[in-house]
Every structure is written in C-alpha cells, then in structure tokens.
Amino acid sequence: MPEQAYAPEDLTPDGYARTTPSQVIDVRETGLRETNRILQESDGTGRYLLTEPRGAHALAVGLDHPDEIVIDGPTGYYTAGMNDGAHVTVNGNVGVGVAENMMSGTVRVTGSASQSAGATAHGGLLVISGDAGARCGISMKGVDIVVGGSIGHMSCFMGQAGRLVVLGDAGDALGDSLYEVHIYVRGRVESLGADCVEKEMRPEHHTELGELLDRAGVTGVTTGEFRRYGSARTLYSFDVDNASAY
Amino acid sequence: MPFDGHIRSDQATHAQIPAGVDDPTLRESATFPRSVIHEIQRAAATGIYDIRGWGAKRKVPHFDDLLFLGASMSRYPLEGYRERCDTDITLGTRHASKPVHLDIPVTIAGMSFGALSAQAKEALGRGASAAGTSTTTGDGGMTAEERGQSSTLVYQYLPSRYGMNPVDLRKADAIEVVLGQGAKPGGGGMLLGQKISDRVAQMRTLPKGIDQRSACRHPDWTGPDDLTIKILELREITGWEKPVYVKVGATRTYYDVKLAVKAGADVVVVDGMQGGTAATQDVFIEHVGIPTLAAIPQAVQALQEMDMHRKVQLVVSGGIRSGADVAKAMALGADAVAIGTAALIALGDNDPRYEQEYRALGSAAGFYDDFQDGRDPAGISTQDPELARRLDPEAAGRRLANYLHVLTMEAQTIARACGKSHLTHLEPDDLVALTMEAAAMARVPLAGTDWIPGRAGREM
C-alpha cells in the first residue's frame, strides 16, 4: 500500500457519483476464481470494493459490464486485462500489463505501474497517477493512456492508434516503429525511437490533449507545456535504403 | 530470362534455364549451381533479400525415411474393412472444463485472414467441419466467415494481437498461444502492403497499404514464468473452459516443451521447419529451425519425463502430406497433426488449370510460392476481390474434406496393418528408419538392424 492511501470514496472516475460499495470482497478469502466470477457475472450496476488483493495476478480481468470496481491495495500482472466497459480503480501499485488489451471502460491506478501498461489495448482510458515502467503503451491500438509521472524505455513501441500523454519524462527509444499514435510528453524525452519525430502542436492537438487531461482528471497543467511526437511514416513501406533504421 | 539488372524479386527466383545446358562440355559447380548464381545476381540487382511463402524447400530427413513394420507372425493385424480402427482424439484434458473432441487427428494449422482470402478461410472452415476437425485463426483476428463455418475453431493469441478481443476469445473453442512457427522460429509475421485491403487494415488497426512487419515477441511477457501468469489470465477471462495450446517452432524442442508444460499448457504444438508461412525471408525459412522428424522425439521425451505424455497432448505440424505421415507422426508419440500447406493445395493452390497465369507471374503450377504478392491466380493467398472470387468456398471445402478423409483412411490402413484398433495406439516399435540420419533423429532402429545411433544395441 502506498503511504497516501486514498479512501475509495475519494476517487472519482469520470461521470460517476461515488457512493459506498454495494459489495465488499476480500480477495484473499474469496479466492481469485470466485472473485473474478462474481465481477464477470455482475449486471453492470455493481459497486465493488476488493480488499486484500495482496498482489494477485489476473484480478478483475475479462469484465464486460460498466460496474465500478475499486481494488484497495497493490495488484500483480494483468490487472483488469481485456477490460471491456468496467471502471476499475487500483488504490496502489500494479504489476506488468495493467489493462492489457482493454477494449473500453476506465482503469485508474493511484500508484505506479510496471512494464507494458496498456499493452495492445484497443480502447478505453488508462490513467496512471505515478510512473509507468518500460514498454508503456506497447502496440497500443486505440486506447488513451495518461501517465502522471514518467515512463520507461521503449514506450509506445509499434503503437498503432490512440493517444499517450505523459506529464513527466519518457525513457529511451520513445515511439520506436510508431504507426498512428499521438504522443504528448510534458517533460524530457531521453531519445526517440526509429521513425518517431517531434511534430508541431496545432490547435486541434491542443484541443485533443486538453480533453484527455480533463477526462483523466489532471489539473494544474496547460497544454502548452507539452510537445507532440508522432510517426514520420518513412518505414511504412520497406525501402532498402532505410535498412539501417531498423 | 536475360539478366538486365532490373528483374523483379518475385520473378527472379524462377528464371528460365538458358539454352545450352545439356552441353556435356559445360560443368556446373556443386558449390555455385545456377540457382546460387542466380540468387547472387538477384541480390546484387535489388539490394533486398528474397521474400516468399511456403516452408523449407531443402531436403531434410523426413517421414519418407521411415517405414512401418506391419504385423505378421509376432504381431496380429486387424481386418482392413471389417474391424474398427478409431481415429478420434481429445485435446485439452489437463485443465479445461470443455476439452476439444475431434473425429480425426488431423487439424488445420493457423493461417491468417490477410495472408488468405476470406473465401479461403471459409473453405478451410467448411472442409474441417465436414471432416470433424478443427481449424485455426491466424495473425489477423477472427472473421465471421471462419467462425461461422468452423464447428471447432482455435483462436491464436499472437505477439501482434491484431483484432484480439474478449468477445472473440470467448467464441473460440480453444486458445493457441503462439510463440513461434516452424518456418521462422524467432520471427514475427509479415504481410506486405499489396495485401493490406480496407478490411484487413481495419481488423488490424493499421493504415491501408503499408508493409506490415509484426512483432516477434509478445508485448507483455518475457519468459516462461510470465507465460504462466498469462495463461492464468486467459483462463480467468474464459472461465477455465477452453484448452490453452502453446505453439512453438521446432528448435530447442526438448526444453521448450518442458517449459510450455510447466507454464500450464493443455496442448503443445510443435511446428517443424518444413511448416509453411505466407511470407518470410528465404534465408529464414531455409536456415532456422529443425526438421519435424527431429523435433517429435524431443517433445515426446520431455512429456514422458514429466509424466505428461498423453495428459498434455502433442500436436505436430510441418510437412504432413499423406496418411503415412500422419501415422508416422502419431507412432512417434504425437496425439494429432496439423496441416497448412497441404490444406491449401487441397483447396486449389498451385492447381495446373492456372498454369498460364502462374507462368505470367514468372512461376509455374507446382512452384508458386510468392504468397506475399497477393496475386495468387487460385484466389487463396490474395486480398484482390477479383482473384479471391475465383475460389468457391463450398467446392474448395469439399476438396479439403475429401483430402482429410483420405489422410485418415490411409493412416487407418497402416494402423490396422500394425494391429492397432486406434491411431493413437501406434508406437515407435512399429517403425524403422531407412537412413542413419532418420534413425538418429527419430530414435528408431535402422531397418534390418537393432541399431539406433547414439544408443547401445538391444538384444534381438
């Protein structure tokens, strides 16, 4: 648990008036399979508080209804994997692959995330208040990711679609082999990967970024503090003269 | 073809033989035969490696190098047309609550929509369903055509995750986590721009018409310990119903199979180097991986040492062509086989009726392997609507079903001759090898001897 543990009532996923949970599940007592089964069979109106996650892997995965789930404590790999509509908040840190292949919904992490956060996700919103490790947004396919802290190396590798917003710094080889993701970074970029270039912030990008920051609940920053990065599209078709770029 | 320095790479590998080659005064080099000279010329002209489809074309020790010992005095054969020889198999008995039950042990290997036309995918589904077996998606997501026409569909979970979504995952009958394939172990998918149609681009979330070089590593795990957790996640998402296969290209097969079992696989799929691809560098296809024949005994040994043989099922692919190949793979310890290239040929790939068109592409019926170009006259490895329309999914599906029935009947013929009432009862003792290489790889004795290279002789 992070020192600054938030009470679930303090967390406000977009569009939801937070009320007390309708069901409290002790993950350690209930077990992973039963916990996931309860969540997967919920009708979309549930408000669940999951206690004692104790770093459990594959917790709250495969959810396809707009229930609200607050996980009070740190989780392991693939938290909220393949989420398709649920609103999941982790009150703590998460392991590898949080919200991997998310289709829709919201996943919020109050702490930091390990590697491959939001990997291959097709939609929805992933908000990480702390830092994210290497390969954040790898092969992302339409998801929006907002990271309050910094991200590690090889982030957005082969990113296909969606938006990645970083309030802190980005590690080496940002956006390597990038397709069509829009990347916005407020801090320093260690280096850009192959075919990733800085691009002009035009008015529509300020608008797009502003909306993302609003949806993520980020305040106190302006879009003018960010730089935009995208694909130079020179590697879209193989050209032998570009062979050294790979 | 005269060498003008501007040959197209797809034509370059099929140059016509120049006049005068029968001249006994001309001596061809064994080290630099015409094909090698031609490839050097092609590389020098274009500056890029040769990309093609199909699997390894080089000759490697294979099932042809094995023979069965039919029953006579010491073994008791079964009557060919009277006594039963069953062929059904169940895959995924280890953890899945809904294992896959198939009427025949010949499955259809993963081939993507994108690499293949929608008509070809539908035909594969129709043929497999008619024969009572499964078909498999590929690196491009699940199409409605193949789900609709496939009674049993295996959904591949690939590094690219194109089109991956939980709805299709739950529609699948099994999940195949793909770590590699025999044509290119260690390589990712490749689909060149000419095959990225609107529909393919939309399914893969990619711009239309770009050259697509997919990832070779999964994006959210790095090793077998992580894979254990990934398999847990897939099971949790699908309620522990579906078998989880792990597919590897044949390389360090003994270790890979052990790690796959340790990671929780219900089924291990081992694809030898003769296994096909839609597009990869020729150098990769020909020089990476080991023959199917060499991989099977390694896989079986790994399973036996873990007391998992027949508990975790083994599916073998890469160069399966006949019922004899099916029977030999199963005798060596496989629970089932998968076919890819042979299935495409059954659909109509390389059909002589398109000879003139293959010639126009610089190839010939029986040689066409430029699947990456998307100009397949047979309408199979293409996204061109005009070409794809040539393939009638119903008729092609019937041809595939016919072929699957022949494979099965041939395997039964051999099994009965060996006295076996089920194809899975075939065993290594039913086999001998014709060559020392095959004896060493398959770990069966050289025909007429008790000698397995690397092992002490046994008492006769």
Side-chain angles (χ1 to χ4, degrees):
Chain A
M1 290 280 285
E3 269 184 38
Q4 269 194 313
Y6 298 88
E9 299 79 43
D10 296 335
L11 301 167
T12 53
D14 46 336
Y16 281 79
R18 172 70 66 193
T19 54
T20 50
S22 56
Q23 190 173 349
V24 178
I25 303 173
D26 183 318
V27 177
R28 189 169 48 147
E29 277 182 12
T30 310
L32 179 70
R33 181 77 285 265
E34 182 63 8
T35 300
N36 281 334
R37 190 192 62 76
I38 293 168
L39 299 178
Q40 288 165 357
E41 292 178 3
S42 184
D43 62 1
T45 63
R47 296 186 305 279
Y48 298 89
L49 175 64
L50 272 52
T51 62
E52 302 293 333
R54 297 190 171 226
H57 301 308
L59 188 58
V61 297
L63 308 185
D64 58 1
H65 289 93
D67 300 280
E68 278 185 60
I69 293 114
V70 173
I71 305 172
D72 205 11
T75 59
Y77 281 44
Y78 311 132
T79 305
M82 291 208 183
N83 182 43
D84 196 1
H87 302 282
V88 180
T89 300
V90 180
N91 199 4
N93 300 323
V94 296
V96 170
V98 62
E100 67 86 17
N101 213 88
M102 175 159 59
M103 304 303 293
S104 65
T106 318
V107 175
R108 289 169 185 272
V109 177
T110 66
S112 291
S114 183
Q115 297 185 36
S116 302
T120 76
H122 289 68
L125 174 68
L126 170 62
V127 181
I128 297 160
S129 299
D131 298 325
R135 301 177 189 85
C136 177
I138 183 170
S139 288
M140 54 191 282
K141 294 171 168 57
V143 68
D144 292 323
I145 303 176
V146 178
V147 180
S150 296
I151 59 173
H153 64 267
M154 291 299 281
S155 285
C156 213
F157 175 62
M158 294 179 82
Q160 295 175 221
R163 284 83 59 95
L164 172 62
V165 179
V166 183
L167 274 71
D169 303 329
D172 265 324
L174 176 69
D176 193 285
S177 304
L178 193 65
Y179 292 103
E180 292 294 307
V181 176
H182 296 183
I183 303 176
Y184 299 97
V185 182
R186 181 158 157 263
R188 183 167 168 272
V189 173
E190 192 70 32
S191 69
L192 294 173
D195 215 27
C196 184
V197 293
E198 183 172 353
K199 295 187 170 182
E200 181 193 358
M201 283 284 285
R202 295 195 299 269
E204 65 265 34
H205 302 116
H206 285 283
T207 305
E208 173 177 85
L209 176 58
E211 286 170 2
L212 281 166
L213 292 171
D214 281 349
R215 279 174 60 209
V218 175
T219 54
V221 297
T222 61
T223 60
E225 298 169 52
F226 289 81
R227 296 173 138 194
R228 180 170 78 98
Y229 304 89
S231 178
R233 303 189 179 95
T234 56
L235 301 182
Y236 274 16
S237 292
F238 188 81
D239 181 336
V240 68
D241 293 332
N242 289 333
S244 62
Y246 291 100
Chain B
M1 182 192 300
F3 179 68
D4 60 4
H6 295 284
I7 46 178
R8 292 207 312 274
S9 65
D10 53 327
Q11 289 185 332
T13 49
H14 313 298
Q16 287 166 4
I17 297 169
V21 293
D22 291 332
D23 184 343
T25 66
L26 299 179
R27 183 177 178 190
E28 183 163 16
S29 167
T31 307
F32 288 89
R34 277 162 287 163
S35 59
V36 169
I37 291 171
H38 177 76
E39 171 53 21
I40 294 170
Q41 291 166 338
R42 190 208 60 77
T46 64
I48 186 163
Y49 40 58
D50 184 31
I51 295 172
R52 67 171 176 87
W54 209 270
K57 291 188 168 183
R58 66 158 70 213
K59 185 169 173 54
V60 295
H62 197 37
F63 296 121
D64 290 336
D65 301 315
L66 301 181
L67 295 172
F68 278 100
L69 300 175
S72 58
M73 186 79 89
S74 58
R75 297 278 176 109
Y76 196 77
L78 298 184
E79 292 289 350
Y81 294 95
R82 296 176 184 85
E83 292 183 287
R84 288 181 62 142
C85 175
D86 291 331
T87 63
D88 64 312
I89 52 154
T90 305
L91 302 175
T93 52
R94 186 187 185 190
H95 292 302
S97 66
K98 294 183 178 172
V100 165
H101 187 87
L102 303 175
D103 294 340
I104 62 170
V106 186
T107 66
I108 307 299
M111 291 174 275
S112 76
F113 170 67
L116 301 187
S117 64
Q119 286 87 341
K121 288 298 285 179
E122 180 183 339
L124 290 173
R126 285 177 178 274
S129 299
T133 190
S134 62
T135 184
T136 311
T137 67
D139 197 358
M142 184 188 289
T143 64
E145 289 93 334
E146 68 181 331
R147 176 63 281 188
Q149 296 300 337
S150 306
S151 55
T152 305
L153 181 60
V154 182
Y155 189 26
Q156 285 196 330
Y157 191 76
L158 291 132
S160 67
R161 313 272 166 89
Y162 294 134
M164 174 53 55
N165 68 80
V167 175
D168 286 342
L169 197 69
R170 292 193 183 98
K171 280 186 200 161
D173 298 293
I175 301 161
E176 182 169 291
V177 179
V178 180
L179 274 69
Q181 68 184 92
K184 44 179 166 181
M190 185 182 279
L191 194 67
L192 302 189
Q194 51 269 43
K195 292 174 80 172
I196 309 273
S197 66
D198 285 334
R199 187 176 177 204
V200 172
Q202 187 265 328
M203 280 182 72
R204 300 181 182 213
T205 327
L206 285 170
K208 189 187 174 189
I210 69 169
D211 285 347
Q212 174 208 300
R213 284 144 201 277
S214 314
C216 64
R217 292 193 305 268
H218 281 266
D220 55 355
W221 86 75
T222 50
D225 293 335
D226 291 2
L227 176 56
T228 309
I229 306 170
K230 174 54 70 176
I231 290 175
L232 170 72
E233 184 205 5
L234 293 171
R235 291 193 196 282
E236 283 292 322
I237 291 172
T238 53
W240 290 76
E241 285 183 351
K242 301 173 199 311
V244 176
Y245 304 5
V246 172
K247 177 176 178 175
V248 293
T251 54
R252 298 175 181 86
T253 306
Y254 170 76
Y255 298 102
D256 291 342
V257 169
K258 282 207 159 176
L259 290 168
V261 172
K262 186 171 168 289
D266 294 310
V267 174
V268 180
V269 183
V270 176
D271 189 22
M273 72 179 289
Q274 301 101 312
T277 176
T280 296
Q281 298 92 337
D282 176 81
V283 71
F284 209 147
I285 299 172
E286 295 289 352
H287 297 277
V288 184
I290 64 171
T292 307
L293 192 67
I296 303 175
Q298 287 195 36
V300 172
Q301 182 191 347
L303 291 168
Q304 287 172 336
E305 286 177 5
M306 300 175 88
D307 193 25
M308 282 291 171
H309 191 219
R310 308 295 183 199
K311 297 174 186 169
V312 168
Q313 287 79 32
L314 174 65
V315 178
V316 167
S317 54
I320 302 283
R321 306 149 299 175
S322 66
D325 293 345
V326 176
K328 287 168 185 175
M330 294 184 74
L332 289 174
D335 294 275
V337 301
I339 59 169
T341 302
L344 298 187
I345 295 169
L347 294 187
D349 172 52
N350 272 294
D351 191 319
R353 71 177 158 146
Y354 295 118
E355 179 66 29
Q356 290 311 310
E357 291 179 67
Y358 287 123
R359 290 282 179 185
L361 295 171
S363 186
F367 297 88
Y368 183 68
D369 61 10
D370 286 326
F371 300 161
Q372 76 285 350
D373 281 347
R375 293 184 289 168
D376 182 4
I380 295 170
S381 60
T382 183
Q383 293 300 317
D384 180 316
E386 292 298 319
L387 293 173
R389 203 171 293 131
R390 293 181 178 186
L391 188 78
D392 176 351
E394 282 190 47
R398 270 196 301 278
R399 288 193 291 272
L400 176 60
N402 284 343
Y403 173 61
L404 289 166
H405 286 135
V406 171
L407 290 181
T408 306
M409 288 189 292
E410 286 180 342
Q412 285 173 299
T413 300
I414 287 170
R416 285 195 184 95
C418 294
K420 304 297 199 281
S421 61
H422 197 292
L423 292 183
T424 55
H425 296 174
L426 288 162
E427 55 194 324
D429 277 356
D430 295 319
L431 290 170
V432 293
L434 280 169
T435 67
M436 285 191 287
E437 287 86 355
M441 289 183 189
R443 305 180 191 176
V444 299
L446 191 65
T449 78
D450 63 349
W451 183 49
I452 300 174
R455 289 194 195 166
R458 58 186 170 178
E459 295 294 318
M460 289 296 281

